[in-house]
Amino acid sequence: MQILKTPRQLQQYRDSLEKSVGFVPTMGALHEGHCSLIRCSKEQNAHTIVSIYINPTQFLRGEDLDTYPKQLEDDIKLCQRYKVDALFVPSSLYGDDEVSIVAPQKRGYILEGHFRPGHFDGVLQVVLKLLNLARPHNAYFGKKDAQQYILIKQMVKDLFLNTRIIGCPTLRDSDGLAKSSRNLYLSDSERKKALTLSQTLFYMRDNIRLQNLEKLLANAKGFLEIDRLQYLQITDYALNPLRTYQKDNTLITIAAFVGKTRLIDNLWL
Ligand code: AMP
């Protein structure tokens, strides 16, 4: 496996490839969720490139940029085990006075974007840089970050980028907790509370055909044992609020704090 440390090295490596290229961008502290993306890319492409970069511009002031989990040695071993062809680990991708990308004013500033204003500007900026460097045929993103996936698909369409964005299902622990690098922050008792996020979503999935959505939301909130709920919402796949359940077009999203840890989860129904 090649380890590439600069944008130039990635560009040169990419120029040497002739067959299909799959790309999996991550922030590291790799877990089985990331592995499922890598597996998918390996199956569908001749070459797979993974990147690990903790992108500073997507963190708001006061968020966990400085404490975000880092385990590069383990991540390298995992990528080798999965026979990743190249791992891109840049130290920085930014200059000091840059052209910047702004997320769509509506969809980029609701839900996650409402509570983390500017977050998606940073996400789209770094993803655009990475896609321009790796020029992949296919890029793999988790549907666990539902709004991120939706906005990246929109960016690729709006900016006529030549990459297919592929959304992969959320990997969960056997008890239902969505896998996340941030789960490393949770104590045992916090993990128990965190489990109520997925339990709430599963309750909603099982009852969404039986109750009107307002009542369902009110009932569902009763299951949550978290410290602070930021949102629990039902939208369609384009993030418009929904009044009634629509088969194959209903997305339930949740964000909540358990202790100091902010967790998100969702279900696509
Ligand atoms: P991150 O390192 O958190 O930026 O995540 C890198 C990619 O992995 C993103 O596309 C995430 O949506 C995806 N991802 C994170 N957690 C999961 C999971 N539990 N299941 C599937 N994909 C995931």
Side-chain angles (χ1 to χ4, degrees), residues 25-28 31 33-34 36-37 68 140-142 144-145 148 169-171 179:
T26 80
M27 297 206 298
H31 51 68
H34 299 111
S36 71
L37 271 52
Y68 196 84
Y140 297 81
F141 292 88
K144 151 122 190 331
D145 295 280
Q148 168 174 289
T170 301
L171 261 263
K179 289 189 185 283

Side-chain angles (χ1 to χ4, degrees), residues 104 151-161:
L151 292 174
I152 289 169
K153 263 185 110 75
Q154 184 180 344
M155 175 175 75
V156 163
K157 184 163 166 271
D158 290 351
L159 301 186
F160 307 106
L161 303 182

Side-chain angles (χ1 to χ4, degrees), residues 196-197 199-224 229 232-235 242-246 250-254 267 269:
T196 65
L197 266 74
Q199 285 165 352
T200 301
L201 292 174
F202 297 151
Y203 165 82
M204 292 178 75
R205 174 196 61 200
D206 294 343
N207 288 278
I208 200 159
R209 290 164 196 79
L210 310 173
Q211 299 175 20
N212 83 45
L213 298 191
E214 243 168 72
K215 190 155 171 250
L216 180 68
L217 277 168
N219 289 341
K221 284 179 186 165
F223 287 90
L224 286 169
L229 177 65
L232 173 60
Q233 287 205 13
I234 305 175
T235 66
L242 269 192
R243 288 177 165 273
T244 51
Y245 164 70
Q246 291 178 9
T250 299
L251 175 62
I252 314 177
T253 49
I254 186 167
L267 284 180
L269 304 177

Side-chain angles (χ1 to χ4, degrees), residues 37-208:
L37 271 52
I38 295 173
R39 231 180 287 121
C40 210
S41 173
K42 291 285 298 176
E43 277 164 22
Q44 298 177 0
N45 301 277
H47 307 280
T48 289
I49 303 173
V50 173
S51 68
I52 295 179
Y53 179 60
I54 302 175
N55 171 39
T57 63
Q58 70 187 68
F59 289 80
L60 273 64
R61 198 166 299 146
E63 291 188 341
D64 56 344
L65 173 62
D66 295 335
T67 54
Y68 196 84
K70 293 178 196 66
Q71 40 185 59
L72 189 57
E73 291 306 312
D74 290 346
D75 290 349
I76 290 174
K77 283 191 203 131
L78 187 144
C79 288
Q80 283 167 332
R81 211 163 55 238
Y82 275 84
K83 300 198 170 16
V84 166
D85 299 284
L87 178 62
F88 180 48
V89 280
S91 51
S92 170
L93 289 176
Y94 291 96
D96 56 359
D97 184 24
E98 288 218 334
V99 169
S100 51
I101 297 290
V102 179
Q105 287 303 299
K106 276 188 285 182
R107 273 194 247 174
Y109 286 85
I110 54 174
L111 301 167
E112 283 298 284
H114 175 77
F115 289 97
R116 305 181 72 191
H119 166 69
F120 289 117
D121 301 0
V123 168
L124 295 180
Q125 177 111 15
V126 80
V127 170
L128 180 59
K129 282 173 186 271
L130 290 167
L131 293 180
N132 279 333
L133 290 171
R135 286 185 290 113
H137 297 86
N138 299 302
Y140 297 81
F141 292 88
K143 286 183 158 182
K144 151 122 190 331
D145 295 280
Q147 194 171 6
Q148 168 174 289
Y149 163 67
I150 290 164
L151 292 174
I152 289 169
K153 263 185 110 75
Q154 184 180 344
M155 175 175 75
V156 163
K157 184 163 166 271
D158 290 351
L159 301 186
F160 307 106
L161 303 182
N162 208 6
T163 292
R164 193 154 65 110
I165 301 299
I166 296 173
C168 301
T170 301
L171 261 263
R172 298 178 179 279
D173 288 337
S174 55
D175 55 10
L177 184 69
K179 289 189 185 283
S180 164
S181 305
R182 290 188 168 102
N183 292 352
L184 292 168
Y185 297 143
L186 299 171
S187 66
D188 287 350
S189 63
E190 285 175 336
R191 196 183 175 288
K192 287 205 180 88
K193 289 183 176 182
L195 255 186
T196 65
L197 266 74
S198 55
Q199 285 165 352
T200 301
L201 292 174
F202 297 151
Y203 165 82
M204 292 178 75
R205 174 196 61 200
D206 294 343
N207 288 278
I208 200 159

